[in-house]
């Protein structure tokens, strides 16, 4: 059952953002970069805190909106954030400093996620967020499930994609890619997952066992 508009507003207003987070959000809007809503960010922060995250990986730095939320939940963690936009990362960098995070906590990697993710160490991350090119979301999630430790969490926003993923008549590249990814996750035996309508849909996956063969 969908929640009402008044519920949606109440949920949105419950998640407050700091001055630095609002600056990052304003930069994203100014440059036409889509960002998660505060309610989704609060979910990120809550799960980062719940996992006691020390190492976080993110696809899609943008202007730092997601990363600031993740570190708000795990202020002692190291964030590895991948984006192919050098200029965006350069504008995000001082915002992490302004928010009080040490330089050595923020590892910004400029490059394509498909090239960078294979180079990261498996089982080394507590939380992985995938918010990159949606047409490659299955590949990114496969890498994320390799990277995250048992008990760790992978989060994927936008999985309802403007209502198109749930509509079988929508055959575009993006909704089709999300459906393929969701089928992949459903068929993965060593995870549990759930989907919520937060923002444009949020998939949360928890790894419950190793994927090493017995």
């Amino acid at each position: 059952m969908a929640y009402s508009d008044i519920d949606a507003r109440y949920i949105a207003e419950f998640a407050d953002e700091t001055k630095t987070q609002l600056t990052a959000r304003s930069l994203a809007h100014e440059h036409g970069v889509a960002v998660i809503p505060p309610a989704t960010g609060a979910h990120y922060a809550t799960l980062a805190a719940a996992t006691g995250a020390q190492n976080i990986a993110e696809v899609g730095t943008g202007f730092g909106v997601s990363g600031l939320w993740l570190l708000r939940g795990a202020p002692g963690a190291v964030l590895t954030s991948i984006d192919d936009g050098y200029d965006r990362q350069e504008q995000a960098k001082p915002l992490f400093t302004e928010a009080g995070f040490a330089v050595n906590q923020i590892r910004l990697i400029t490059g394509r996620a498909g090239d960078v993710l294979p180079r990261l160490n498996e089982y080394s991350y507590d939380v992985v967020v995938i918010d990159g090119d949606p047409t490659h979301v299955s590949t990114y999630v496969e890498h994320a499930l390799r990277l995250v430790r048992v008990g760790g969490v992978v989060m994927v926003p936008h999985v309802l994609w403007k209502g198109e993923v749930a509509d079988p008549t929508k055959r575009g590249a993006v909704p089709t890619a999300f459906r393929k990814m969701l089928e992949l996750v459903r068929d993965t035996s060593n995870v549990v997952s759930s989907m919520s309508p937060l923002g444009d849909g949020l998939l949360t996956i928890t790894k419950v066992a190793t994927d090493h063969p017995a």
Side-chain angles (χ1 to χ4, degrees), residues 47 50-51 125-127 148-154 190 205-210:
L47 285 184
T51 58
Y125 295 88
D126 307 291
V127 175
V148 76
R149 63 167 174 82
V150 173
V153 173
V154 176
N190 64 329
I205 309 163
T206 299
K207 192 174 191 176
V208 295
T210 181

Side-chain angles (χ1 to χ4, degrees), residues 135 160-180 183:
T135 62
L160 295 177
W161 197 255
K162 308 169 188 175
E164 293 186 10
V165 172
D167 184 347
T169 68
K170 302 297 185 181
R171 300 292 184 181
V174 173
T176 298
F178 275 120
R179 289 187 202 109
K180 178 182 176 184
E183 290 173 7

Side-chain angles (χ1 to χ4, degrees), residues 21-38 58-67 81-89 91-92 131-134 157-158 161-162:
Q21 287 177 299
L22 290 171
T23 299
R25 186 172 296 280
S26 178
L27 277 171
H29 290 325
E30 180 184 332
H31 290 83
V33 174
V35 290
I36 57 166
E58 169 191 41
V59 172
T61 309
F63 291 91
V65 173
S66 295
S81 188
I82 305 161
D83 199 297
D84 61 4
Y86 176 79
D87 290 343
R88 290 191 294 269
Q89 288 185 326
Q91 292 183 73
D131 192 5
D133 181 350
H158 314 300
W161 197 255
K162 308 169 188 175

